[in-house]
Amino acid sequence: MIPYSTQCIDEDDIEAVADVLRSPFLTAGPMVPRFEEALCEVTGAPYAVAVSSATAGLHLTLQALGIGEGDTVLVSAISFASSANCARMVGAAVDFVDVDPLSGLITPETLAAKLKACQAAGQRVRAVIAVDLAGRMTCLEKLAALREEYGFYLIEDAAHALGACRRGHNCGDGACADATVFSFHPVKIITTAEGGAVMVRDKELHRRLTLLRSHGIEHDRAYLENQNRPAYYYEMQTLGFNYRMSDVHAALGLAQLDKLESFLSKRRSLAKAYPAYLKEILPLGLTLPEADSEDNLSSWHLYQVGIPERDRVYRFLRDRGIGVQVHYLPIYRHPYYQSLKAYPPLEGAEHFFEHTLSLPLHPQLNTVTLSYVSSLINEALEKAEEDA
Ligand SMILES: *Cc1c(COP(=O)(O)O)cnc(C)c1O
C-alpha cells in the first residue's frame, strides 16, 4: 500500500535517538529546551512549549486561557476530531464554523456569520480554532480583525502546517494567532513519533502552558507563592497534567527539523508536478487544490482534489494499493457530537466532505507514483461513466 503520507527516518535520526538512550536523561534533560529553541528559530515565535501530542497542546492552550464551562469554542467544521475535543476537555460548548467548499478553510465571512448568530443566541464565544487544512494557512489577519470586534482568542490548529508561509509570515510566528499548535505524528511534516508543540508570543501564556504541562508544579524560585523555603521545596499551584515531551522524542524532532527544508521542497515539487499528470482528468470533473504562489506557500501535508464519484474512486484506488484517504468527516457528524446537540449540516463542509479525496504525497514519492495514481483515477472515472 502506498500511503497518503508517512514518516522519513534516516540514520541521523536513529543516531540522535540512540545518543539520548545512552545519556543520563531520558526526560527533563537538555533536548526538549533545544527542540523548543529550534522551533522558535524556524517559525520566528518567541516561545515554544513542546508537548506529548497536538491534542495535548490544544487542551493545554484552552486550559491556560481559562476557557471552561459556560464558554463556547468555535471550530472549523472540517478537521480531525481533536480540534474540537479539546473544548469538551475543558467543559466548554463546541460550535462549528462552515468552510469554503473548495479549500475546506473557514473564511472571514463564514466566521463572521457564525459569530453574529452566537451573539444573537447569547453564547459567549471565548475561542476560535482555525485549522490550516492540508498545510494551507488560513487568512489569520482577517480572522484576527474579527477578534478585535468580538473578543475571542484565536487559536491556530497547524497540525498540518509546519513550514507553511503566508504574506511573509511563517506559520506559528505569533503575528496573528494567540497560539499555534503543531503535531509531530508520523504522517505530519516532521515527526517525534508522538508529539506536538504550542507556539505563543505572550510571556505569561507561555508560563501558564509550561506550568500546566507538568502537573501545575512550580520549581522556579521567582514564581513561588511561598518565598524563603528550603531548596527542596516546590509547590503545585494549579491542577495540571503530565503532557511533557521526553528527551528521546525531542532528539528525534531536532534531527527531523534539520531536514524540514528538504521535506518541504520535496512536498512542494510533487504538488507542483501533480497537475500535469492529472490534467487529462479535468474534463471528467476533477478540481485541483490552489497552487502555491510567492506569498502563500503550503506545507502540502495533503494533496486534496475535488472529485466526482468520490467513494467509487476511493474504493478503486484502495483495491489497487493506493492509500488514498478522506479528510475529514465534518466533526459534527460524529455520533459523540450528535449526542450532545442536533448540529445542523453546514453546506460548505458537506460539499467539501462529499467530493474531496487526499492523494498520496510525501517526501519518499516520485513522479512515477503520481503518474500511476493519475492513470488509476482516470480508469475509475471512465468505468463509472460506462456504468452510468
Ligand atoms: C493530527 C491532527 C491533530 C492531532 O495531532 P496529535 O499530535 O496526533 O494529537 C489535531 N488536528 C489536526 C488537524 C490533525 O490533523
Side-chain angles (χ1 to χ4, degrees):
M1 184 74 87
I2 295 174
Y4 75 89
S5 185
T6 187
Q7 71 273 16
C8 283
I9 299 293
D10 65 15
E11 288 304 315
D12 287 343
D13 296 316
I14 294 165
E15 198 56 41
V17 169
D19 284 349
V20 174
L21 292 174
R22 292 187 197 100
S23 82
F25 295 105
L26 300 189
T27 190
M31 301 314 281
V32 171
R34 264 189 232 165
F35 182 48
E36 290 172 339
E37 272 170 38
L39 285 169
C40 289
E41 241 167 69
V42 163
T43 58
Y47 302 106
V49 180
V51 285
S52 52
S53 68
T55 304
L58 287 163
H59 181 193
L60 272 191
T61 301
L62 293 185
Q63 186 84 14
L65 291 171
I67 291 162
E69 236 161 281
D71 297 332
T72 293
V73 174
L74 298 183
V75 184
S76 297
I78 293 289
S79 188
F80 184 56
S82 106
S83 304
N85 294 351
C86 57
R88 298 297 306 139
M89 290 172 191
V90 298
V94 174
D95 220 325
F96 297 97
V97 182
D98 203 5
V99 299
D100 174 76
L102 298 179
S103 69
L105 301 177
I106 65 172
T107 69
E109 292 75 30
T110 59
L111 179 58
K114 189 71 206 176
L115 286 164
K116 208 168 270 178
C118 287
Q119 200 172 49
Q123 286 169 282
R124 196 161 72 125
V125 176
R126 295 282 315 285
V128 172
I129 301 178
V131 179
D132 295 329
L133 189 72
R136 175 67 66 200
M137 283 172 74
T138 50
C139 49
L140 283 176
E141 74 286 349
K142 292 182 189 146
L143 306 183
L146 290 166
R147 170 179 60 190
E148 308 317 322
E149 193 181 337
Y150 288 89
F152 53 80
Y153 292 108
L154 182 56
I155 299 163
E156 183 183 18
D157 180 341
H160 298 179
L162 178 66
C165 188
R166 185 173 177 279
R167 295 192 168 185
H169 286 293
N170 294 323
C171 183
D173 73 355
C176 293
D178 295 294
T180 297
V181 181
F182 293 127
S183 171
F184 309 125
H185 180 279
V187 297
K188 309 291 165 72
I189 306 297
I190 66 162
T191 190
T192 59
E194 295 283 1
V198 186
M199 314 301 295
V200 295
R201 65 167 183 276
D202 184 81
K203 190 172 174 208
E204 186 51 34
L205 180 55
H206 172 249
R207 197 181 94 75
R208 294 276 308 159
L209 287 165
T210 311
L211 192 66
L212 288 166
R213 171 177 65 177
S214 198
H215 311 287
I217 287 176
E218 186 60 81
H219 291 272
D220 188 335
R221 303 278 109 187
Y223 292 109
L224 293 181
E225 286 176 16
N226 297 302
Q227 294 290 328
N228 304 317
R229 301 291 149 131
Y232 61 76
Y233 179 82
Y234 63 79
E235 60 190 22
M236 186 187 132
Q237 299 178 338
T238 185
L239 184 61
F241 311 91
N242 180 353
Y243 278 169
R244 293 187 304 263
M245 177 179 278
S246 82
D247 278 50
V248 179
H249 295 82
L252 178 55
L254 265 171
Q256 288 265 299
L257 261 189
D258 281 343
K259 292 169 287 234
L260 175 63
E261 278 312 314
S262 79
F263 290 165
L264 289 169
S265 69
K266 193 74 207 285
R267 283 181 178 275
R268 284 176 184 144
S269 76
L270 289 168
K272 210 172 162 185
Y274 248 126
Y277 295 99
L278 293 168
K279 78 171 180 289
E280 273 177 51
I281 320 170
L282 296 178
L284 298 177
L286 189 85
T287 58
L288 301 177
E290 181 192 340
D292 279 343
S293 64
E294 203 172 306
D295 72 349
N296 197 351
L297 289 171
S298 174
S299 61
W300 292 105
H301 166 56
L302 301 173
Y303 192 85
Q304 296 189 295
V305 297
I307 202 161
E309 302 287 347
R310 197 274 315 278
D311 289 357
R312 279 184 71 146
V313 176
Y314 170 87
R315 191 71 270 152
F316 192 87
L317 270 77
R318 279 262 161 177
D319 287 347
R320 285 154 186 81
I322 304 297
V324 286
Q325 190 54 278
V326 173
H327 299 98
Y328 295 91
L329 185 76
I331 299 175
Y332 54 76
R333 279 216 200 178
H334 286 291
Y336 168 74
Y337 282 98
Q338 285 296 326
S339 78
L340 295 179
K341 187 176 156 182
Y343 290 104
L346 301 173
E347 204 179 320
E350 291 294 320
H351 183 277
F352 186 84
F353 163 63
E354 298 282 355
H355 295 91
T356 306
L357 192 64
S358 302
L359 309 185
L361 181 71
H362 57 78
Q364 296 179 55
L365 288 186
N366 55 39
T367 50
V368 176
T369 315
L370 306 199
S371 169
Y372 180 53
V373 168
S374 305
S375 66
L376 286 179
I377 296 173
N378 203 2
E379 207 181 313
L381 286 176
E382 278 175 353
K383 207 157 166 287
E385 278 206 339
E386 278 165 27
D387 293 354

